[in-house]
Amino acid sequence: SISNLLSAYAGAPTTIAAVIGIFIESNTGTITTEIYDNSVSLDGSTFPNASSVCLSMNSVSKTSQIKNNVFANYTTGQTGVANHGCFYANAANAYGNASSLADYNSYYLADYTNAYIGRATTTSYTTLAAWEAAMTLNPGTDVNSQVANPNFVNKAIDLHGSSLSVALDGTGTTPPVYITTDIDCEARNSPHDIGFDDFTSGCAANGGIVSPASATACAKDLFVMTSTGFTDDPSVTFQWMVSETPGGPYANVSGGSGATTASYTTGKLKKGIFYYVLQVTCPEGGTALSSELVLDVKGQPDALVTPEGPIAICKGVDVLLTASGGSNRMYQWLKKDVPIAGATGITYSADSKGNYKVLVTNTTTGCTNTSAAVKITEYEDPIAVITPQGPTTFCEGGSVVLQANTGAGLTYKWRKGSNFISGATQSAYTATEKGNYKVEVTNANGCVKLSEIVEVTVPCKMEGKMQTDFPVTIFPNPATDQVNILLSTALDFEVELTSITGERIALLKNKTTIDVSTLAAGAYFFKISTAEHTVIQKLVKQ
């Protein structure tokens, strides 16, 4: 048993091995070396810049039989030229003469950075297959060997096999006749184990102590239980068992993971009190149960969300969500599975679309439950836009048609200032008075949108009678370059040309032909006034 080898080297990285587990030096004469049933563990953590190797063969002309050995190098990744490995030979294709053979060994590297399973002079082989192929002088090298973690009890001070050392159990070959016992003076038995420890000697079943001895959990949670102090023999088998009665009878657990190891993780638990044990069985058939774990599984609190009212809402409308109640309860509301800051009451007012849940905690047991999601959707608001159909500035007695946008399922309510206009519920409204006008548009889902203000001003009074049917003809209409005005009287008249928003463009006296070629395409208004009459007509400029 070779372990806990240290070096004080702290210089630059070097290829020279400062630590060697087993070293076979060159020598003269006819010598046969038998290297059987050794366990070598190297840990280079104290000398990261120095190289190390478990077995170094510098006697390539001699005969060596290397079998049933564990060569484990736990050195972590190295830099520069420093390296670590399991097996070194100072020849490119051999570690001894043609009669030499290495086989039934177990190799292990904890880190493959600057590492090798086998190294022939300066060539490193990181796989067992590549190492076997390189040893052409020794056909059959390591064909029955393996790369496996030996799982020692302690890699530095105790290289006995543990319950996890199954890779070493019964995978070796028959040692020389003079090897009859292992390091503990216990008889070596067939099938033979790899390493200095024979596992199958005197297996006595012991289930150990389960920790914790009692515990509380919550339904639908997972629970981890572990036994310690059980029979430390790689040949034993494990089976976790459970009963709903103290002391059994027990049945094999179902679900979860690790049911046949020393540590078991349950599947999702159900409410109740359960009794768990670990059954340990030796190869010879002896069994033993561990101490009993009493697991009290508490139920989850109810977690149900009830919305008060529709969950399809208009923007700006709240939906009151209420969680299922109960004593000793604590709440946390979630949106898209993210906690909502300050939302810890039994109710929550959701004011926007999204998926809402509530996490309910029983403050006595600590058990939690999350509700199913309530999905709140939002309808689109309607459009609310007013388009004046003429100038919004006119003299007393005049008017302008205010036209709201139209669409299927829309209804309207007109306002002047902050007050609704009685009976004004059509898509258009004729304003005859000054004021700030708005329209409230409601769609089929009941969602409401209020338009921007349209200001109507009436800055002047008309003298005499306003006659909208005064015979005036404007042509052509639509017009491109010029417009002609034809009146039935030769009286003096005035022509005012305005934009659709009421902005004055021109004011002309007794002008019957007007140039509109410079106007942008769109709608305009002509107001033709005489001493007694006023007519407003719409012009379309192309």
Side-chain angles (χ1 to χ4, degrees):
S1 173
I2 301 169
S3 62
N4 204 28
L5 302 182
L6 306 176
S7 171
Y9 182 78
T14 174
T15 57
I16 299 173
V19 171
I20 301 174
I22 299 176
F23 180 60
I24 305 300
E25 181 59 277
S26 298
N27 45 56
T28 58
T30 302
I31 297 175
T32 296
T33 304
E34 293 180 339
I35 306 173
Y36 274 81
D37 294 293
N38 302 280
S39 294
V40 180
S41 175
L42 301 184
D43 180 359
S45 60
T46 62
F47 48 95
N49 288 351
S51 298
S52 64
V53 63
C54 296
L55 173 67
S56 180
M57 300 294 295
N58 283 7
S59 183
V60 296
S61 63
K62 311 306 178 185
T63 300
S64 296
Q65 297 294 307
I66 309 166
K67 299 179 182 179
N68 289 2
N69 301 285
V70 181
F71 299 125
N73 197 320
Y74 293 90
T75 304
T76 54
Q78 295 179 284
T79 59
V81 297
N83 57 78
H84 55 280
C86 297
F87 194 151
Y88 171 81
N90 69 340
N93 66 339
Y95 43 82
N97 60 27
S99 299
S100 297
L101 185 62
D103 204 4
Y104 294 97
N105 299 301
S106 181
Y107 300 96
Y108 180 69
L109 295 170
D111 193 315
Y112 277 77
T113 305
N114 282 25
Y116 57 85
I117 296 295
R119 182 178 175 92
T121 61
T122 60
T123 303
S124 295
Y125 301 96
T126 57
T127 68
L128 190 57
W131 168 247
E132 294 170 12
M135 297 296 100
T136 55
L137 188 64
N138 308 111
T141 291
D142 285 319
V143 294
N144 296 298
S145 294
Q146 61 183 335
V147 175
N149 189 341
N151 289 298
F152 297 129
V153 171
N154 185 304
K155 65 183 180 181
I157 59 175
D158 187 351
L159 305 192
H160 284 85
S162 70
S163 60
L164 301 178
S165 303
V166 292
L168 310 180
D169 187 16
T171 55
T173 188
T174 304
V177 294
Y178 57 81
I179 300 180
T180 59
T181 61
D182 69 358
I183 198 70
D184 302 314
C185 297
E186 295 175 338
R188 285 197 173 270
N189 300 299
S190 180
H192 295 283
D193 303 324
I194 295 178
F196 82 137
D197 182 26
D198 188 272
F199 303 139
T200 58
S201 301
C203 176
N206 180 356
I209 304 296
V210 178
S211 178
S214 62
T216 300
C218 298
K220 294 188 179 180
D221 285 352
L222 309 182
F223 188 83
V224 180
M225 58 194 72
T226 302
S227 181
T228 58
F230 50 81
T231 301
D232 193 12
D233 190 312
S235 63
V236 302
T237 58
F238 303 105
Q239 179 62 59
W240 285 93
M241 309 180 79
V242 65
S243 174
E244 295 186 32
T245 303
Y250 303 100
N252 291 350
V253 296
S254 61
S257 60
T260 56
T261 70
S263 183
Y264 172 58
T265 302
T266 68
K268 290 185 177 180
L269 297 167
K270 65 178 183 179
K271 182 180 179 181
I273 299 178
F274 302 92
Y275 303 87
Y276 288 88
V277 293
L278 175 65
Q279 178 177 273
V280 173
T281 303
C282 285
E284 297 84 357
T287 63
L289 298 179
S290 68
S291 62
E292 193 174 63
L293 162 65
V294 182
L295 186 60
D296 185 359
V297 183
K298 306 294 186 180
Q300 292 181 301
D302 293 333
L304 178 67
V305 176
T306 303
E308 295 187 15
I311 57 175
I313 60 174
C314 299
K315 293 179 180 178
V317 176
D318 292 353
V319 178
L320 184 64
L321 304 176
T322 302
S324 47
S327 58
N328 306 315
R329 296 292 187 267
M330 184 170 63
Y331 304 91
Q332 174 62 64
W333 290 89
L334 314 170
K335 183 179 182 183
K336 295 182 180 178
D337 295 322
V338 177
I340 303 170
T344 56
I346 193 171
T347 62
Y348 177 71
S349 290
D351 59 2
S352 61
K353 65 181 179 180
N355 290 328
Y356 292 86
K357 300 178 183 179
V358 65
L359 172 67
V360 182
T361 301
N362 184 316
T363 56
T364 301
T365 65
C367 295
T368 63
N369 196 9
T370 303
S371 71
V374 172
K375 184 177 182 179
I376 294 178
T377 58
E378 285 181 341
Y379 295 123
E380 290 296 323
D381 284 342
I383 297 172
V385 176
I386 299 174
T387 303
Q389 301 300 297
T392 58
T393 299
F394 49 82
C395 290
E396 183 179 315
S399 65
V400 63
V401 175
L402 304 179
Q403 179 65 58
N405 55 285
T406 59
L410 300 180
T411 60
Y412 308 88
K413 293 175 70 175
W414 288 89
R415 292 185 184 184
K416 180 184 176 187
S418 59
N419 300 318
F420 287 107
I421 303 171
S422 177
T425 58
Q426 302 301 312
S427 64
Y429 177 72
T430 301
T432 60
E433 299 177 350
K434 70 175 182 178
N436 294 327
Y437 291 86
K438 296 181 183 179
V439 66
E440 185 179 275
V441 182
T442 303
N443 63 17
N445 295 317
C447 299
V448 179
K449 181 77 172 184
L450 188 63
S451 72
E452 297 293 328
I453 291 173
V454 171
E455 183 180 6
V456 173
T457 58
V458 183
C460 58
K461 291 186 177 181
M462 293 290 297
E463 296 294 336
K465 180 181 178 183
M466 181 173 182
Q467 184 175 324
T468 57
D469 59 353
F470 178 65
V472 176
T473 303
I474 297 175
F475 66 94
N477 194 3
T480 303
D481 298 317
Q482 66 181 24
V483 174
N484 300 306
I485 300 175
L486 179 63
L487 285 79
S488 60
T489 177
L491 297 175
D492 288 341
F493 64 93
E494 187 178 74
V495 177
E496 183 181 11
L497 176 63
T498 63
S499 68
I500 197 169
T501 61
E503 179 185 1
R504 177 185 286 178
I505 298 172
L507 181 63
L508 307 170
K509 185 79 170 178
N510 295 332
K511 190 77 172 178
T512 58
T513 301
I514 299 173
D515 183 9
V516 295
S517 61
T518 60
L519 297 180
Y524 298 86
F525 290 94
F526 277 117
K527 183 167 75 171
I528 298 97
S529 302
T530 67
E532 296 181 355
H533 306 288
T534 296
V535 174
I536 297 176
Q537 290 199 8
K538 183 178 180 181
L539 169 71
V540 176
K541 169 64 169 61
Q542 292 182 330

